[in-house]
Amino acid sequence: MLQRIVKPLLVLALVVLTQRTYATEGMWLPQLLSGLNEKEMKAMGMKINASDIYNINKGSLKDAIVSFGGFCTAEVISSQGLLLTNHHCGYDAIQKHSSVQNNLLENGFWAKTAAEELPNPGLFATFIVRIDDITKAALQDVKPGMSERERQSAIDKRLHEIRQAVKKEAWQETMVKPFFEGNQYFLFVTETYRDVRLVGAPPSSIGKFGSDTDNWVWPRHTGDFSMFRIYAGKDGKPAPYSKDNVPLQPKYFLPVSMKGVKQQDFTMVLGFPGRTTEYLPSEAVKLTVETVDASKVEMRDAALKIMDGYMRKDEQIKIQYAAKYASTANYWKKWMGEMKGVKQTNGIGKKQQYEAEYRQLLASNPLWRQKYDGVLDTLNDLYRQITPYAQTRDYYSELVKNVELFTAGDRLINFLSDVHEKGEGQYETLRKEFLESMQAFYQNYNARVDRDICASLMELYAKGVPKQFNGTEYLQIWNESNKDSRLLADKIYNLSGLTSMDKLKAFVQQPYNTVVAQMWKDPATRLVMAMRKGYVDNVSKPVTDLQNNINNLQRTYMQAQMDIMGSKKRFYPDANSTLRVTYGKVDGYNPRDAIHYDFYTYLDGVMEKYIPGDYEFNVPARLIELYKKKDYGRYGVNGRMPVCFIASNHTTGGNSGSPVLDANGRLIGLNFDRTWEGTMSDINYDPSICRNIMVDIRYVLFIVDKFAGCTRLVDEMKLVN
């Protein structure tokens, strides 16, 4: 009798555990929810239907979600095209409108009328109209035994035909993306609006509160939001900026819930996650966290310390380098958390356990053995082979990226190569375009800061890159400077013609052949060309061959996993900047032994962290005043002002600015970060510590209404109590 009772209970427990894992992991395509996820989402508490999320016949949630500039997500929250996204997503636009005399980053910005809303050239918002599965047509000409180049050529030919034949409106565009390592293809019909204006942003002391110290960590107290508006032509269609354009009337906008959340409440996030690699073999995960992440962290750590030192002393440099610092620090800290999280959750060991189970099932099926035998072992071996090349690749890319003089040299070399290809007769035209493109670069450039970064990073590069990968030209330059990075940096910055816009103009005003000849004498371009040649000859070519083999086998291994492990695991495609839905529940977590984090933070915590005058933890006087009076209006709860909360939604870069919705599809928060220990979710999702961080929508409304007094924006929204 006991066995008859216990066995069903064990089965039920396994089902519940399986559902608990499924309930948090995954970035799902919205058009497939009805078949894959709807039943589970409803069991978790969702009260709407999959057709309310994705529908091509009527307005649905997907019609309120946009790709913001191609790097973040934003959502429409009013019938007048009002957009909500993160402060850090709008940071670059806010910075471009800032000056020492009118510092919008420091003071915030609120358009009191529509006429005060500020245009942002180059910024766009893209809606998804519909998503079509084109896998069969795309892979129609792919044959076994094709090389990577032959395979891609056959696919590209078919994709061109598919795009030509797709049904869409004249103002709409198409985008095709591969999924599951190129085993599936989907076509996206899109609408892009290019008149996007800044409407409101809190001061950085709210929108960036905690800055880099609090970045990627919990508990968090950041009001990370900004507001924009989409403008359209008078016909409602996309149009370039014009003062005659009108606010967009969207197909759908998100209602705003004033209810808040409690533990275990259902949450859902829609957005455009950038990139994940969840299905890598164990050696690839080991390469990432033990070699690649460590190299990049080392380089960025050195660059950030130098930037920080200058920014604390000089207000002009602080403005110039604000966006650069934030961008550099963001993934620097993320990679540290990724290394920590994988180690803490035994991510590599779990991958190896998964592979052992995969091998066991593979061995049990003759058809699978015939098709996939040796794929995993060969793939792991290829990742071991590519490790030293990958490490050098990241030292090189981080050097060129973080030393801006090298970036300028790289761009100059590319410009002259373009002239060489198109003919010297195009020199004048291409030179004009090149100089125009460099104006913005030098606007936020400081040679003193860059010189110190160069000296520090060159030393790390020399220590970290094996001698055989350097090339003779680079080694000659390095030896000429007695292997002293400070001596080399001083020589470069004292003599180079690339250290200012004026010098660059004078440099390229010379005839084409003279500029080409001078490049070999200029110490900056000489060094950049030497490093580039060493990299191309000794790293790039071997890496390309190894990577092509990896790509081929990774695609086969992906299909093998779906075939062999499909009965034990449900597969979702890796993120690739396309619209996805992820869902989970509000919950705290235990990052380390004897430590538990609750799921909510309040304005009390802001005041506890407050350090007067500190660039990370300063608090505006107006916010202090409201706090002391407990003047929270309709947005507070029991005398407290909620600020942020966490849940188990699976998010990544690109989900910044994503709306967080409740069981009824109403806006309850704004996604802006992940917990530090859970940043490894890009390669190794673990429900025990992976949490996304959100600003409570009531805090957003409180700042807009009570702090900024911009009630007109709240009046536009549909608030649901």
Side-chain angles (χ1 to χ4, degrees):
M1 175 67 74
L2 183 62
Q3 278 187 322
R4 269 190 279 172
I5 295 172
V6 169
K7 190 172 181 180
L9 285 175
L10 285 173
V11 171
L12 178 61
L14 286 171
V15 169
V16 170
L17 281 173
T18 303
Q19 288 181 341
R20 183 179 176 84
T21 301
Y22 285 164
T24 57
E25 181 177 3
M27 297 177 176
W28 305 95
L29 285 162
Q31 79 278 18
L32 303 179
L33 291 175
S34 58
L36 290 173
N37 311 89
E38 184 176 38
K39 185 176 179 181
E40 177 182 86
M41 294 168 81
K42 283 180 173 291
M44 290 176 62
M46 185 176 77
K47 294 180 172 60
I48 59 175
N49 300 319
S51 60
D52 296 315
I53 300 171
Y54 177 90
N55 200 313
I56 60 174
N57 298 315
K58 66 174 185 177
S60 55
L61 290 178
K62 64 112 174 145
D63 298 309
I65 316 302
V66 300
S67 173
F68 184 79
F71 50 82
C72 278
T73 301
E75 50 276 1
V76 186
I77 57 172
S78 85
S79 62
Q80 295 299 304
L82 186 63
L83 280 182
L84 179 66
T85 191
N86 286 155
H87 185 269
H88 74 260
C89 293
Y91 202 83
D92 186 59
I94 302 165
Q95 182 197 42
K96 286 176 179 175
H97 290 294
S98 295
S99 64
V100 173
Q101 295 74 28
N102 184 27
N103 192 339
L104 303 189
L105 289 173
E106 183 174 327
N107 303 323
F109 170 77
W110 304 98
K112 300 299 183 182
T113 65
E116 294 179 8
E117 296 176 359
L118 301 175
N120 301 281
L123 187 59
F124 61 86
T126 299
F127 292 90
I128 301 299
V129 178
R130 73 171 192 274
I131 308 171
D132 298 336
D133 187 346
I134 59 167
T135 303
K136 186 175 180 180
L139 302 180
Q140 184 175 330
D141 297 330
V142 173
K143 308 296 181 188
M146 279 184 163
S147 68
E148 281 294 290
R149 180 174 292 183
E150 291 169 338
R151 184 182 190 276
Q152 195 57 53
S153 178
I155 292 172
D156 288 342
K157 182 179 177 181
R158 283 295 176 186
L159 293 182
H160 177 73
E161 294 172 358
I162 293 167
R163 286 194 187 97
Q164 295 297 313
V166 70
K167 293 182 179 180
K168 65 179 183 66
E169 302 294 344
W171 63 88
Q172 294 173 341
E173 299 168 330
T174 61
M175 172 182 70
V176 174
K177 290 275 192 174
F179 292 77
F180 293 115
E181 305 288 351
N183 286 298
Q184 291 182 16
Y185 281 82
F186 287 90
L187 179 143
F188 297 75
V189 177
T190 64
E191 287 181 352
T192 297
Y193 292 81
R194 301 187 183 278
D195 185 356
V196 180
R197 305 183 194 179
L198 177 63
V199 175
S204 291
S205 52
I206 292 174
K208 207 170 180 284
F209 182 80
S211 191
D212 302 298
T213 298
D214 277 4
N215 191 24
W216 298 110
V217 299
W218 182 257
R220 201 65 176 276
H221 300 85
T222 312
D224 195 349
F225 77 94
S226 58
M227 290 178 165
F228 292 76
R229 193 184 305 279
I230 300 175
Y231 280 76
K234 291 184 177 179
D235 58 1
K237 296 181 177 59
Y241 170 79
S242 169
K243 60 181 178 60
D244 296 323
N245 284 349
V246 296
L248 175 71
Q249 295 185 10
K251 295 178 186 175
Y252 189 84
F253 66 90
L254 299 177
V256 178
S257 172
M258 297 287 284
K259 187 178 179 181
V261 297
K262 60 182 185 299
Q263 191 160 10
Q264 293 301 305
D265 271 0
F266 175 85
T267 56
M268 175 170 57
V269 173
L270 279 76
F272 293 84
R275 187 170 187 267
T276 58
T277 48
E278 303 289 348
Y279 304 108
L280 295 173
S282 57
E283 285 296 329
V285 177
K286 187 183 292 186
L287 165 64
T288 299
V289 298
E290 294 182 0
T291 301
V292 170
D293 283 355
S295 302
K296 293 186 290 192
V297 164
E298 181 185 32
M299 294 289 273
R300 293 200 178 193
D301 187 57
L304 287 165
K305 284 178 180 176
I306 292 164
M307 279 191 265
D308 180 66
Y310 278 100
M311 289 169 69
R312 287 179 180 272
K313 297 174 185 175
D314 190 308
E315 186 68 20
Q316 180 62 38
I317 292 175
K318 183 179 177 181
I319 293 173
Q320 284 181 310
Y321 277 76
K324 281 184 274 194
Y325 187 95
S327 175
T328 304
N330 190 39
Y331 271 85
W332 160 76
K333 196 166 185 178
K334 185 263 185 186
W335 291 322
M336 287 193 288
E338 188 168 75
M339 292 187 288
K340 182 182 179 69
V342 170
K343 182 178 180 180
Q344 183 175 327
T345 59
N346 189 29
I348 295 171
K350 288 178 180 177
K351 279 282 185 182
Q352 291 168 340
Q353 292 170 16
Y354 172 83
E355 290 170 1
E357 187 176 4
Y358 164 91
R359 288 188 180 96
Q360 192 174 29
L361 289 172
L362 172 64
S364 70
N365 188 311
L367 292 177
W368 288 343
R369 286 204 310 271
Q370 183 180 357
K371 192 173 182 181
Y372 300 124
D373 194 36
V375 168
L376 174 57
D377 292 336
T378 304
L379 189 57
N380 269 325
D381 185 58
L382 284 170
Y383 275 108
R384 282 188 284 266
Q385 291 179 44
I386 206 172
T387 294
Y389 298 103
Q391 182 178 32
T392 299
R393 176 192 62 205
D394 286 303
Y395 270 117
Y396 175 78
S397 64
E398 287 296 315
L399 183 66
V400 174
K401 183 182 299 181
N402 289 291
V403 178
E404 293 181 278
L405 188 64
F406 293 169
T407 304
D410 218 39
R411 291 187 186 182
L412 175 63
I413 294 165
N414 291 337
F415 151 60
L416 294 173
S417 298
D418 202 20
V419 174
H420 178 73
E421 288 179 13
K422 295 179 180 178
E424 290 183 39
Q426 296 295 309
Y427 182 53
E428 293 297 327
T429 301
L430 294 173
R431 176 171 61 186
K432 183 180 178 182
E433 293 175 359
F434 169 67
L435 288 174
E436 287 176 355
S437 72
M438 295 300 289
Q439 287 284 356
F441 175 87
Y442 282 104
Q443 181 181 347
N444 291 316
Y445 176 74
N446 184 290
R448 284 187 299 134
V449 179
D450 203 43
R451 181 195 296 240
D452 286 353
I453 292 173
C454 176
S456 182
L457 268 57
M458 283 298 300
E459 184 176 354
L460 294 175
Y461 181 82
K463 290 177 180 177
V465 174
K467 188 176 180 180
Q468 67 268 25
F469 293 153
N470 278 314
T472 55
E473 290 89 345
Y474 165 80
L475 291 174
Q476 181 180 339
I477 295 170
W478 183 238
N479 290 330
E480 286 173 3
S481 301
N482 296 322
K483 301 180 181 179
D484 185 326
S485 62
R486 171 54 66 181
L487 192 64
L488 178 58
D490 287 343
K491 177 182 178 181
I492 291 171
Y493 286 80
N494 287 338
L495 301 176
S496 176
L498 276 66
T499 55
S500 71
M501 189 66 201
D502 289 340
K503 287 183 179 181
L504 178 67
K505 283 181 181 178
F507 189 80
V508 298
Q509 285 301 332
Q510 303 173 95
Y512 169 71
N513 289 325
T514 304
V515 175
V516 172
Q518 288 295 322
M519 273 177 51
W520 295 99
K521 298 178 181 178
D522 185 279
T525 48
R526 181 188 173 210
L527 178 57
V528 170
M529 288 189 290
M531 288 191 299
R532 181 190 277 203
K533 188 175 188 309
Y535 176 78
V536 170
D537 290 347
N538 302 310
V539 179
S540 182
K541 290 175 182 176
V543 160
T544 298
D545 292 339
L546 284 167
Q547 195 63 56
N548 283 339
N549 290 332
I550 285 172
N551 292 346
N552 191 312
L553 277 180
Q554 187 70 47
R555 182 171 54 251
T556 305
Y557 179 52
M558 183 73 253
Q559 189 61 57
Q561 290 180 78
M562 291 191 287
D563 289 348
I564 295 168
M565 305 295 286
S567 62
K568 296 177 173 291
K569 179 180 174 67
R570 192 170 49 173
F571 290 88
Y572 56 91
D574 272 318
N576 59 359
S577 297
T578 56
L579 183 61
R580 303 296 181 88
V581 177
T582 179
Y583 50 95
K585 291 194 173 185
V586 175
D587 201 4
Y589 74 110
N590 303 300
R592 291 175 295 283
D593 183 43
I595 295 176
H596 173 75
Y597 283 137
D598 203 355
F599 61 92
Y600 243 124
T601 62
Y602 295 86
L603 191 56
D604 308 73
V606 174
M607 299 306 162
E608 288 169 4
K609 291 180 176 180
Y610 171 40
I611 303 174
D614 185 81
Y615 87 100
E616 292 186 305
F617 295 103
N618 198 22
V619 177
R622 172 62 178 159
L623 190 58
I624 295 173
E625 179 188 352
L626 291 168
Y627 173 74
K628 287 180 176 179
K629 294 179 179 178
K630 298 293 182 281
D631 186 7
Y632 305 139
R634 51 181 165 167
Y635 311 112
V637 180
N638 298 324
R640 303 182 78 189
M641 185 66 242
V643 175
C644 295
F645 64 99
I646 55 173
S648 58
N649 301 288
H650 189 177
T651 60
T652 188
N655 275 124
S656 289
S658 286
V660 185
L661 309 176
D662 66 9
N664 294 297
R666 296 165 180 163
L667 186 64
I668 53 174
L670 183 64
N671 184 79
F672 70 94
D673 209 349
R674 284 174 284 170
T675 56
W676 196 41
E677 301 84 359
T679 55
M680 52 93 183
S681 61
D682 290 348
I683 57 174
N684 179 58
Y685 184 90
D686 190 303
S688 67
I689 62 172
C690 290
R691 297 289 182 272
N692 65 310
I693 304 176
M694 300 147 280
V695 57
D696 192 299
I697 194 61
R698 293 169 297 178
Y699 189 57
V700 172
L701 298 175
F702 163 71
I703 295 298
V704 173
D705 189 355
K706 300 293 292 183
F707 174 85
C710 205
T711 310
R712 78 177 186 100
L713 299 179
V714 178
D715 291 342
E716 280 188 45
M717 305 174 204
K718 180 181 179 182
L719 305 186
V720 181
N721 291 307

